[in-house]
Amino acid sequence: MNIALYLRHFPASGTPIFGGSVTAIHGLASGLAENGAAVTVLCEGEQRTSVMTEAGYQVECFPKVRRTFGLHPEFTRYLREQLPPHDTVAVVNGIFSPGVYAVAQTLAQCRVPYVAAPHESYDASMFRKNPHLKLPYWWLFERRLLKGAAAVQVLDPRHAMHLGKFGIHKPAFDVSNGFGTQAVPPVSALQWRDSGPARMLFFGRINAFHKGLDILLDAFERVSASHAVRLTIQGPDWGDRARLEQRAGQGPLAGKVEFLDPDYEHSGPEVIAGYDIFCMPSRREGFGMSALEAMLAARVLLVSRAAGIAPHVEASGCGVLVDADVSAVTNGLVALLEDRAQWRERGLAGRAYALAALQWKAIAARALEQYEALAA
């Protein structure tokens, strides 16, 4: 069976693999290929390239165009000529993306069934930021994209529940994010500190609203008044780092918070293993790949209930789930700090759960069954 996965910003050469969505598509493509599917990742870049990756999937990159909803003629021709409708399912990855809409429309014209994979939840909170832009786009494009899909692929079964509220009555199935075994550090490389200031880490893109980093700083200030703690915020800047650094450099927070650039030399679990508590208090979070990396590093976690990984954190007992508000995050951090004697045991329980339930090969096998049913 042929599976085409579209992610506009996937690297044309197949590497480097950085960022949540790129990591997820690489993992799913690798797992599908390992399960015997013919997999092609479609992306857009500076020029036309074609690469077979070591993981066994093809990357076809097409030149970008300046038109908002435009595709390069070579890309359009490829979709029309190289994807046989009778034995192909395409998965278009992204939310509120003109590129995703353009690819989906072309696939529909070619009678190739496509699956919409937003990587986030369609709920009321998605309109809280920039509603003047998102509401018109929803009614003109996003809703039409979803209605034309053969199915909607979600990261968490809870996300499917919101679709009907927005008038989308399409089949939905969940495909969790996962990990490759090469990303797992050995237990012998892990340590847990039983004394000294607790080191907390946020690891991901520095987007204050989406990731709840303003909430985290306010909660951390409250916690630091009564506990010996340090906070590190590390990741690529999405425009909010300077403002957050200014906030962290004032008053009681001064000297207790540091900001670090992304570390592309080490794996996520390797970086996270150097800290004690992983923090992800997001207002919106499709899944939370960095939280999965924290589980593999056997850390304890504070995770927003909105995150797709939240049910896995709860089932494994490796962390606390909180609402995205200052009081809830404060209470969650205090609960973890007061449970320091159990950090090792809880961290190892989360790691064991992830190893058993969240490997890409098994996740991709279940996804392939869904794709085969759609093609049939």
Side-chain angles (χ1 to χ4, degrees):
M1 181 180 185
N2 299 300
I3 308 292
L5 306 174
Y6 171 71
L7 183 68
R8 188 172 194 263
H9 60 279
F10 197 87
S13 65
T15 57
I17 304 300
F18 295 128
S21 56
V22 171
T23 301
I25 296 307
H26 166 71
L28 180 57
S30 302
L32 289 168
E34 196 172 356
N35 280 284
V39 185
T40 304
V41 175
L42 307 173
C43 60
E44 297 174 72
E46 297 304 316
Q47 58 187 354
R48 178 74 173 98
T49 59
S50 180
V51 174
M52 173 59 74
T53 67
E54 293 183 1
Y57 63 88
Q58 190 82 12
V59 179
E60 299 288 346
C61 183
F62 302 88
K64 295 178 183 177
V65 297
R66 293 185 178 181
R67 299 190 311 278
T68 302
F69 288 91
L71 299 178
H72 193 276
E74 286 189 63
F75 195 178
T76 301
R77 186 163 52 250
Y78 181 94
L79 295 176
R80 295 184 183 279
E81 298 177 359
Q82 300 299 320
L83 300 182
H86 62 279
D87 193 35
T88 301
V89 169
V91 183
V92 292
N93 295 275
I95 188 169
F96 290 98
S97 166
V100 168
Y101 181 81
V103 170
Q105 291 298 101
T106 304
L107 291 168
Q109 293 167 8
C110 302
R111 299 184 182 276
V112 175
Y114 70 85
V115 175
H119 291 257
E120 290 192 40
S121 172
Y122 289 102
D123 56 39
S125 67
M126 70 180 173
F127 294 113
R128 289 177 188 164
K129 187 174 183 181
N130 298 323
H132 62 294
L133 298 176
K134 287 183 176 178
L135 280 169
Y137 191 95
W138 166 262
W139 289 105
L140 291 172
F141 304 109
E142 196 77 2
R143 193 167 179 267
R144 187 181 301 176
L145 165 77
L146 294 169
K147 283 182 172 290
V152 181
Q153 179 175 305
V154 297
L155 291 165
D156 178 348
R158 296 176 300 164
H159 295 173
M161 298 169 58
H162 297 292
L163 293 171
K165 299 176 184 178
F166 287 90
I168 307 301
H169 304 285
K170 285 287 180 177
F173 57 90
D174 63 288
V175 176
S176 171
N177 279 340
F179 70 94
T181 53
Q182 70 277 7
V184 184
V187 172
S188 59
L190 303 176
Q191 296 181 346
W192 294 265
R193 300 181 318 117
D194 55 13
S195 62
R199 295 177 294 188
M200 302 179 178
L201 173 70
F202 167 83
F203 187 71
R205 65 180 185 269
I206 302 179
N207 180 323
F209 181 84
H210 194 127
K211 298 294 185 179
L213 297 181
D214 53 338
I215 296 171
L216 179 59
L217 286 179
D218 289 345
F220 178 79
E221 180 176 338
R222 294 185 183 184
V223 172
S224 66
S226 56
H227 295 78
V229 288
R230 295 290 184 270
L231 173 63
T232 298
I233 295 176
Q234 182 171 14
D237 183 13
W238 278 47
D240 294 328
R241 175 168 169 171
R243 175 168 60 86
L244 293 170
E245 280 188 298
Q246 182 179 17
R247 162 78 177 87
Q250 299 173 348
L253 289 180
K256 298 178 181 179
V257 183
E258 68 172 345
F259 288 75
L260 297 179
D261 294 333
D263 182 347
Y264 295 131
E265 300 298 322
H266 301 88
S267 70
E270 288 176 321
V271 174
I272 297 169
Y275 297 84
D276 301 313
I277 298 175
F278 174 85
C279 306
M280 193 179 72
S282 307
R283 289 183 174 90
R284 292 182 54 75
E285 191 71 52
F287 185 77
M289 288 294 294
S290 57
L292 173 54
E293 292 173 329
M295 292 175 71
L296 295 172
R299 302 300 98 178
V300 290
L301 293 79
L302 176 138
V303 171
S304 166
R305 296 184 193 278
I309 199 172
H312 301 290
V313 172
E314 183 175 38
S316 67
C318 68
V320 296
L321 305 185
V322 297
D323 294 326
D325 65 66
V326 176
S327 294
V329 174
T330 301
N331 293 337
L333 291 176
V334 170
L336 288 174
L337 289 168
E338 293 180 349
D339 197 36
R340 187 166 191 162
Q342 301 300 315
W343 284 356
R344 185 180 190 278
E345 180 181 345
R346 295 179 70 178
L348 288 173
R351 175 186 166 97
Y353 177 98
L355 289 172
L358 296 173
Q359 291 198 39
W360 270 123
K361 184 177 180 181
I363 292 170
R366 295 191 294 270
L368 186 57
E369 292 177 358
Q370 299 287 348
Y371 300 151
E372 288 173 340
L374 290 174

